[in-house]
Amino acid sequence: MPASPSYRTDALIADDIDAYLELHRRKSLLRFITCGSVDDGKSTLIGRLLYDSKMIFDDQLAVLEADSRRNGTQGGGIDFALLVDGLAAEREQGITIDVAYRFFATEKRKFIVADTPGHEQYTRNMVTGASTADLAVILIDARKGVLTQTRRHSYLAHLLGIRNLVLAVNKMDLIGYDRHAYDAIVADYAAFAASIGIESFVPMPISGLAGDNIATRSANMLWYDGPCLIEHLETVPLDVVSEQAMPFRMPVQMVKRPDPNFRGFSGLIAAGSVRPGDRVRVLPSGRETRVSRIVTFDGDLPLAVAGQSVTLTLADEVDCSRGDVLAAASAPPQTADQFEATIVWMSDEPMLPGRSYLLKLAAQTVSAQIQAPKYQVNVNTMAEMPARTLELNAIGVANLFTDRPLVFEPYVESRTLGGFILIDKISNATVAAGLLHFALRRASNVHWQALEVDRAAHAALKNQQPRVLWFTGLSGAGKSTIANLVEKKLHAAGRHTFLLDGDNIRHGLCRDLGFTDADRVENIRRVGEVARLMADAGLIVLTAFISPFRAERRMVRELMAPGEFVEIHVDTPLAEAERRDVKGLYAKARRGELHNFTGIDSPYEPPERAEITVDTSGMTAEEAAEMIVARLFA
Amino acid sequence: MSVQAVRVEPSPVSLSHLQRLEADSIHIMQEVMAEAERPVMLYSVGKDSAVMLHLARKAFHPAPPPFPLLHVDTTWKFQEMYRMRDRMAAESGMELLVHRNPDAMARGINPFDHGALHTDLWKTEGLKQALDLHGFDAAFGGARRDEEKSRAKERIFSFRSANHRWDPKTQRPELWRLYNARKNKGESVRVFPLSNWTELDIWQYIQLESIPIVPLYFAAPRLTVERDGMLLMVDDERFRLLPDEVPVERSIRFRTLGCYPLTGAVESTAATLPEVIQEMLLTTTSERQGRAIDKDATASMEKKKQEGYF
C-alpha cells in the first residue's frame, strides 16, 4: 500500500499545539453520504478516508488486521471494509443492514459520513442518510460503468435535495488508469443526469484501495486536472451558508417561562438570520411583532443565523406555542391543510390510504390522511407506475389532508418546513418520510362554513344528547340484530335515531369498495364522516360494521366530540360466529371462494377499551339491547 | 422627513463545527423536553457527561435544566469523581439522584472478587432499577458514535423494551432533525445528544467553554500498581494489593474514568488541556483501550447493549 499523507500536520501538533487548536476551532462541518454497493468499493473508500485521516488507532488496527485475516476479502491485506461494518450480525453475513455514521476531520473541515448499505433495504436507508447530507458521493466501478443502481442512487440523492454530487469513478487502478474509459463513463452519466434534472456534478477518477485522488492528486492520472476527493470535500460550499441568505424561519420547539417576567421562544433557526428589532410574523396565527432579544447562555446576541439554537423574546404578548413558526414578516411561509407530496414508505406494513397517521413536520404534529397514490416511481427506471398502495421501500406521489393547518414550504425550498415523517398511531413506528410539493388550491378556497344553526341547536330542539353507538365485532356476531333492538327501544322512548348498517351502506355509499385492507379503511372513513354529520344534526347514530382495525375505530372516535363516541364490542368467539354462519359466508370463505374475510384470512383487532362489551354467549340479543340502553340512557 | 433605514446584508456568518454540533445537541434536548413525560440525565461524571450537562444548561437557559441528574453509583468510583459530581449538581441547580443497587450492596459485589459481575450488577442492573424506580421514560446519555463500532449505528433516540433491551433491527429511521419520541407502553428511550461528537470535539469544546472536569484527566504524581498490563491507581484503602505489589508513584492521567480498580491510567506529563489534547492527537491507541469491559470479545459492547448496558 503506498504511503498516504495524513490530512493533519503532526508536526504542528507536536511543535505548537495552541496554533493547531486555533486552526481547528474554526473548522466548518460538512455532512455527506456515500452511495454504492459493496462491489463498488464504498466501505473501502470510507475505511481509506478514516485511515488516512488517522482516525484509526493502533489497537483498532490490530483488531482490523486480525479480522482481515479471518473474514477479509483482500487476501490477508488490510480489508478497510471491515472497519466500517458495525454489528456482529452484519459481519457474519457480510452485509450492512443499516445507516452508520462515521467521522473524520482534515485541517479545514470536520466530516460526518452517512454510510448506507446496498441491498434491498437500500431506499429506506439511503433516504434516511441523504436527508441530512450536503453532498453525495456516487460511486461507480470503472469496470462496469453506469448501472441501474447508479441511476437509483442519483435519483434518490436528487430527490432528497442534495445539490452537490460527486461522481467517483472507482477502481481506476483495475483498468490501467484508462482515460478514455473514464471519459466515456462521465459522458454516459452526464446524459442520464440531465434527463432527471440534475444540474451539475463533479466527476473524478479514483481508487479507494490504492489511494489515487483521495488525499492527494494521483501521479497515475496526470491527465486529470480536477481536485482530489478531500480537496473537493474541503472546499464545496455549505448548505448552511446559502440558507442564511433566505428569509428568516424558526420553528418554535418550546416556550420558556421560568418566571412571570420572561417568555422566550426557543428553536433552531432553519433559514435566514435575525436581529433584535426585526419584524416577525407568528404562524399560523399571522400576528406580527418584533424581536426584542436573542437570549443565550453566553449572553444576548446581536445576530443569529441559520443553524444556531437560540431563544427569542418578542416585543408584544402574542400567542405562540410549540409548533408555531416565527418568520420574517415581509416573506412568511404558507399555511395549508391539503398537499401533494412524495411519500417514501419505510414500514413492512403497507400504506393504507384513508387511515389516519400522525404527521410530524418541524415541531408540528398533526393527524393526516393519505389518499391512494397517484402513481408510484420505479426507482430503477424513474418510470411512473399505477399503484393502489405503497409497500416497504416504495416511493409514490399522493395527496394528503391534515386535521389542522400546517406552516410549510415546498421541500425544494426548505428541508425543515417541507420534510415530514409519518407515524403509525398504534405501533408508534416511523412508517414513512415525505416531501411536500405544494398546497392544493382547494385547501385555500374551501373554508369551513360557519353555520348559525349549529350542532348544539340541533340537539337542543330534539332534547337529546347526540351519540354514536359504534357496534364492532366479527361477521355473524350479532351486531345488526342488537343494534336494531337498541334502535327500536330508543325510538319507542321518543329518541331521534338512525341506524347505519354495513351491508346496506355497501349497496350505496360504498359500493365502489371491495374488501382489501385499504378498501376497508376507506369504508370506515366514509361511515365515520356520515355518522359525524348525523351527530351534528343532533341524532343518536347506531352503526353496525365489522370495522376490524383499531386505527380506524380510533380515527372515527377522534372525529366526534369527547364522550360522544361509544364503542360497543359484540364479543362472539370465532367458532360460535362460524357455527351460526347466518349468511353462509364463513363456509364460502373456508372453501376459498371469499377472500379477505375477517377472522379467516384477514385479522380482527378487538377493542382494548370498549365502553361496553357484550358477551353474546352469556346473554340473548334482547338482554344485550336492554343492558346497553340501561347503561347509556338510564 | 423620515430616514429610511437601509439594511446592509451581512456577509455570511461562518459557523464552526462545534457551534453546529452544539446547536444540534440543544435541539435534541429541547425535543425530548417537549415530548417526554419524565426525562432524566444520566451523569457519569466523566468528560462526556460534563459536556452534556453544559449543553443542557445552555438548552434551558435562563432556567436550570428541568430534570434531575442520575448517578448510577458502584461505590468504586474515584474519590475525585464524587467531589466533582456534588460540585456540579450544586452549580447547575439540578436535583441529584444517586442510585446504588441494594442487591449488589448486600452481596458485597466488588471489582476484585467478581469481575464482569461487578459491572453487570452495579451498572447494568443498577441503571435498570433506577429507571424503573423513578419511572423515567427518557434518559439522556453521553455516548458517542465514534467510541465503538456498534454505537455507529445506534440512533440518537434509541428505544428500549420494557425489560430495557435494545433491538438493533427495529430501530426507527431518523430523518432530517425529526425525532419520533412516541413510546409504546412500558418502553423507554435513551437519548444520545452527543452522538455526532468525536473525542477531539469533546476536548476542544471543554477548552473553548472552560468546562470543569475531574482533575484525574490531567497528569499528576499518583500512587499506582501495574497489573495485567494496566496501570491502576490506588485511590483508597480498599485497593487490594497482591502479595508482592508495592504502590509506586508515577506521573499518570486517565483518558476515561470508571471504577478505579478497572480503569487503566496512562503515564503522562500532560498537565494542561492543550497538552492533553496534544497527547490525544499524537497517541496511537483509542480511548476505550483503557477499559477492561471491551476486551471480552469483538462484539462485547453490542452484546452488553442488547442486555441493557447504556
Side-chain angles (χ1 to χ4, degrees):
Chain A
M1 179 175 47
S4 199
S6 95
Y7 314 136
R8 59 176 212 222
T9 39
D10 283 5
L12 185 60
I13 297 170
D15 297 345
D16 190 348
I17 183 66
D18 292 327
Y20 174 85
L21 288 174
E22 185 53 29
L23 187 70
H24 271 256
R25 207 166 61 77
R26 286 198 282 261
K27 272 187 293 188
S28 55
L29 174 66
L30 179 83
R31 299 186 69 144
F32 70 96
I33 179 171
T34 51
C35 317
S37 72
V38 181
D39 294 342
D40 296 326
K42 179 171 58 71
S43 296
T44 305
L45 174 68
I46 297 172
R48 159 69 64 181
L49 291 171
L50 302 185
Y51 183 80
D52 283 359
S53 63
K54 298 216 171 163
M55 298 308 285
I56 317 290
F57 294 105
D58 280 3
D59 53 329
Q60 294 171 332
L61 198 61
V63 174
L64 177 63
E65 279 166 354
D67 276 3
S68 297
R69 280 192 295 277
R70 199 164 50 240
N71 301 322
T73 57
Q74 297 301 322
I78 291 186
D79 186 350
F80 289 114
L82 292 177
L83 209 52
V84 294
D85 287 344
L87 303 174
E90 296 177 340
R91 260 177 290 160
E92 283 154 20
Q93 296 161 28
I95 51 155
T96 33
I97 53 176
D98 213 324
V99 192
Y101 295 91
R102 318 284 174 196
F103 309 88
F104 69 99
T106 68
E107 294 297 348
K108 298 200 176 89
R109 276 187 180 160
K110 167 182 166 128
F111 299 95
I112 302 179
V113 191
D115 176 14
T116 55
H119 59 108
E120 71 276 5
Q121 290 286 312
Y122 200 84
T123 299
R124 164 184 158 145
N125 292 329
M126 187 180 152
V127 165
T128 302
S131 72
T132 50
D134 294 305
L135 177 146
V137 177
I138 311 272
L139 272 164
I140 286 191
D141 184 334
R143 296 168 302 176
K144 296 178 185 159
V146 177
L147 299 177
T148 298
Q149 65 180 11
T150 315
R151 288 189 275 269
R152 182 171 71 196
H153 300 156
S154 306
Y155 167 72
L156 292 175
H158 183 60
L159 179 72
L160 270 287
I162 298 178
R163 291 183 185 88
N164 298 303
L165 289 183
V166 172
L167 183 75
V169 181
N170 194 19
K171 305 196 182 182
M172 287 299 291
D173 52 326
L174 298 183
I175 60 162
Y177 302 106
D178 180 357
R179 175 181 193 164
H180 297 292
Y182 170 77
D183 286 344
I185 291 171
V186 173
D188 197 12
Y189 185 81
F192 159 74
S195 75
I196 63 164
I198 293 173
E199 285 169 12
S200 66
F201 66 95
V202 176
M204 56 185 73
I206 66 162
S207 168
L209 194 66
D212 293 292
N213 284 331
I214 305 295
T216 54
R217 298 197 195 184
S218 169
N220 295 317
M221 290 176 278
L222 294 172
W223 46 265
Y224 171 72
D225 58 3
C228 68
L229 183 57
I230 288 295
E231 215 178 320
H232 182 65
L233 294 176
E234 280 183 329
T235 53
V236 71
L238 298 168
D239 287 353
V240 73
V241 174
S242 52
E243 280 162 2
Q244 284 180 31
M246 298 194 234
F248 172 68
R249 307 277 184 258
M250 189 185 91
V252 175
Q253 269 187 284
M254 63 182 296
V255 180
K256 291 174 177 169
R257 306 210 64 158
D259 60 68
N261 303 319
F262 186 92
R263 201 158 78 109
F265 305 92
S266 301
L268 195 150
I269 300 174
S273 59
V274 65
R275 287 185 159 80
D278 282 359
R279 285 207 75 78
V280 289
R281 187 174 294 184
V282 183
L283 292 160
S285 77
R287 281 288 307 271
E288 274 191 32
T289 179
R290 282 179 193 280
V291 173
S292 312
R293 296 168 57 199
I294 305 172
V295 180
T296 76
F297 186 79
D298 306 300
D300 283 11
L301 299 180
L303 166 75
V305 299
Q308 285 182 292
S309 282
V310 293
T311 298
L312 304 181
T313 62
L314 303 176
D316 304 292
E317 280 271 328
V318 291
D319 199 21
C320 178
S321 51
R322 173 171 165 86
D324 290 357
V325 175
L326 293 174
S330 55
Q334 311 166 58
T335 300
D337 60 4
Q338 302 188 21
F339 308 90
E340 184 189 272
T342 294
I343 312 273
V344 182
W345 202 256
M346 298 186 158
S347 166
D348 290 326
E349 301 246 329
M351 169 175 121
L352 288 178
R355 171 169 286 188
S356 171
Y357 296 98
L358 287 176
L359 182 155
K360 186 170 181 185
L361 181 148
Q364 307 169 85
T365 303
V366 299
S367 280
Q369 290 175 9
I370 322 294
Q371 289 203 320
K374 298 177 178 178
Y375 58 86
Q376 180 177 338
V377 178
N378 179 324
V379 292
N380 294 326
T381 62
M382 281 98 243
E384 296 175 5
M385 312 180 299
R388 297 197 66 178
T389 179
L390 295 176
E391 306 207 332
L392 178 62
N393 288 316
I395 297 180
V397 171
N399 289 345
L400 63 93
F401 307 139
T402 58
D403 67 340
R404 276 181 290 139
L406 281 177
V407 184
F408 84 102
E409 287 185 287
Y411 184 80
V412 290
E413 287 167 30
S414 167
R415 284 182 172 188
T416 304
L417 289 177
F420 62 88
I421 55 172
L422 295 177
I423 300 168
D424 185 282
K425 288 187 176 180
I426 303 288
S427 72
N428 286 325
T430 301
V431 292
L435 320 170
L436 293 178
H437 297 178
F438 48 77
L440 302 176
R441 202 173 306 135
R442 276 179 291 179
S444 34
N445 292 339
V446 183
H447 295 285
W448 285 102
Q449 188 66 44
L451 300 170
E452 292 193 11
V453 180
D454 61 8
R455 64 196 322 272
H458 289 131
L461 191 64
K462 297 185 180 66
N463 196 23
Q464 66 183 26
Q465 198 186 350
R467 286 280 174 81
V468 175
L469 310 187
W470 189 276
F471 292 79
T472 173
L474 293 169
S475 175
K479 299 181 297 296
S480 296
T481 310
I482 298 171
N484 247 310
L485 290 170
V486 171
E487 190 183 25
K488 272 165 71 180
K489 290 179 192 300
L490 293 176
H491 187 78
R495 310 279 188 170
H496 300 262
T497 60
F498 196 88
L499 173 60
L500 292 166
D501 184 80
D503 290 339
N504 298 349
I505 288 284
R506 280 195 174 271
H507 288 301
L509 180 64
C510 298
R511 73 176 163 214
D512 55 327
L513 299 176
F515 288 89
T516 62
D517 285 359
D519 282 353
R520 285 175 187 273
V521 171
E522 174 61 13
N523 185 45
I524 296 307
R525 189 191 71 78
R526 291 184 195 176
V527 172
E529 291 288 353
V530 170
R532 173 164 76 164
L533 290 175
M534 289 186 164
D536 280 353
L539 295 176
I540 295 168
V541 188
L542 302 91
T543 70
F545 294 83
I546 299 174
S547 46
F549 304 130
R550 283 187 200 117
E552 279 61 61
R553 296 194 299 264
R554 179 154 142 180
M555 173 177 86
V556 177
R557 182 186 290 271
E558 285 170 4
L559 288 174
M560 312 300 167
E564 202 165 271
F565 183 85
V566 180
E567 193 168 356
I568 301 173
H569 182 200
V570 182
D571 189 7
T572 302
L574 177 62
E576 172 61 17
E578 192 169 353
R579 191 188 60 74
R580 292 180 201 160
D581 205 3
V582 191
K583 301 171 201 161
L585 297 175
Y586 283 96
K588 267 183 153 175
R590 288 290 183 199
R591 288 196 300 272
E593 292 164 21
L594 204 55
H595 296 291
N596 300 318
F597 193 75
T598 302
I600 307 297
D601 59 347
S602 183
Y604 178 77
E605 302 169 358
E608 284 168 336
R609 279 186 301 274
E611 274 79 3
I612 296 177
T613 300
V614 177
D615 176 4
T616 62
S617 56
M619 61 177 82
T620 64
E622 181 62 35
E623 287 166 350
E626 265 171 29
M627 184 264 284
I628 291 166
V629 173
R631 287 270 295 273
L632 295 175
F633 300 99
Chain B
M1 199 177 82
S2 71
V3 178
Q4 187 86 36
V6 177
R7 176 159 166 177
V8 181
E9 281 309 318
S11 54
V13 178
S14 168
L15 297 181
S16 74
H17 68 299
L18 292 173
Q19 285 175 299
R20 288 186 63 196
L21 290 172
E22 176 190 83
D24 278 330
S25 298
I26 289 173
H27 172 85
I28 290 162
M29 291 180 172
Q30 291 181 349
E31 276 303 288
V32 171
M33 206 49 231
E35 302 223 351
E37 280 160 28
R38 217 168 137 57
V40 66
M41 177 165 283
L42 297 181
Y43 183 63
S44 73
V45 208
K47 64 183 192 309
D48 301 304
S49 279
V51 167
M52 183 165 63
L53 172 58
H54 187 76
L55 289 166
R57 296 174 72 184
K58 287 197 165 193
F60 300 100
H61 175 82
F67 40 77
L69 292 171
L70 171 64
H71 182 224
V72 179
D73 188 17
T74 65
T75 72
W76 289 94
K77 301 294 177 188
F78 292 90
Q79 295 308 314
E80 288 192 30
M81 292 174 72
Y82 293 114
R83 284 195 285 278
M84 176 60 76
R85 177 192 74 187
D86 296 342
R87 175 188 149 191
M88 290 316 294
E91 211 169 276
S92 65
M94 296 165 75
E95 183 191 2
L96 173 68
L97 303 171
V98 177
H99 182 82
R100 300 184 193 92
N101 180 352
D103 180 37
M105 188 82 92
R107 291 166 64 183
I109 302 295
N110 68 74
F112 295 104
D113 299 320
H114 302 100
L117 189 65
H118 169 79
T119 303
D120 182 54
L121 279 186
W122 282 111
K123 289 182 79 175
T124 310
E125 290 304 315
L127 173 62
K128 292 184 202 172
Q129 284 172 355
L131 294 177
D132 290 345
L133 179 70
H134 297 280
F136 293 123
D137 63 342
F140 291 105
R144 311 187 316 266
R145 284 171 172 157
D146 78 326
E147 277 177 85
E148 198 269 337
K149 275 205 245 180
S150 77
R151 294 250 195 243
K153 305 203 170 186
E154 187 159 8
R155 301 290 188 266
I156 294 171
F157 281 56
S158 189
F159 287 81
R160 296 293 190 277
S161 65
N163 46 10
H164 300 279
R165 287 187 76 91
W166 179 57
D167 179 0
K169 292 196 176 169
T170 59
Q171 299 198 90
R172 295 175 181 173
E174 283 177 351
L175 294 110
W176 301 291
R177 288 194 187 94
L178 290 175
Y179 302 103
N180 171 4
R182 300 180 71 86
K183 293 169 294 286
N184 294 313
K185 209 169 158 52
E187 272 184 347
S188 60
V189 56
R190 313 274 166 99
V191 182
F192 303 110
L194 303 181
S195 285
N196 289 330
W197 295 60
T198 62
E199 189 182 8
L200 177 58
D201 297 331
I202 294 287
W203 282 118
Q204 283 189 296
Y205 192 71
I206 287 170
Q207 187 195 27
L208 203 64
E209 300 278 312
S210 307
I211 300 171
I213 53 171
V214 182
L216 293 164
Y217 285 113
F218 303 108
R222 295 180 173 106
L223 274 185
T224 60
V225 296
E226 194 175 344
R227 188 182 289 179
D228 302 331
M230 284 210 300
L231 272 183
L232 298 178
M233 177 173 157
V234 183
D235 192 53
D236 61 31
E237 68 295 343
R238 293 178 297 170
F239 193 95
R240 285 193 214 155
L241 294 170
L242 298 176
D244 52 348
E245 270 179 350
V246 179
V248 178
E249 194 175 84
R250 292 184 173 91
S251 178
I252 56 157
R253 65 179 192 87
F254 292 86
R255 295 180 64 190
T256 61
L257 294 176
C259 295
Y260 80 83
L262 296 174
T263 307
V266 289
E267 293 208 67
S268 166
T269 55
T272 67
L273 261 177
E275 285 168 2
V276 166
I277 299 174
Q278 184 176 38
E279 207 173 85
M280 194 271 294
L281 288 170
L282 296 176
T283 191
T284 55
T285 54
S286 72
E287 62 182 321
R288 297 201 76 85
Q289 188 244 2
R291 297 193 190 180
I293 183 172
D294 290 342
K295 289 188 179 165
D296 309 356
T298 322
S300 69
M301 178 62 86
E302 184 184 342
K303 192 163 162 292
K304 285 196 168 62
K305 274 153 59 80
Q306 288 182 5
E307 288 161 1
Y309 182 77
F310 210 76

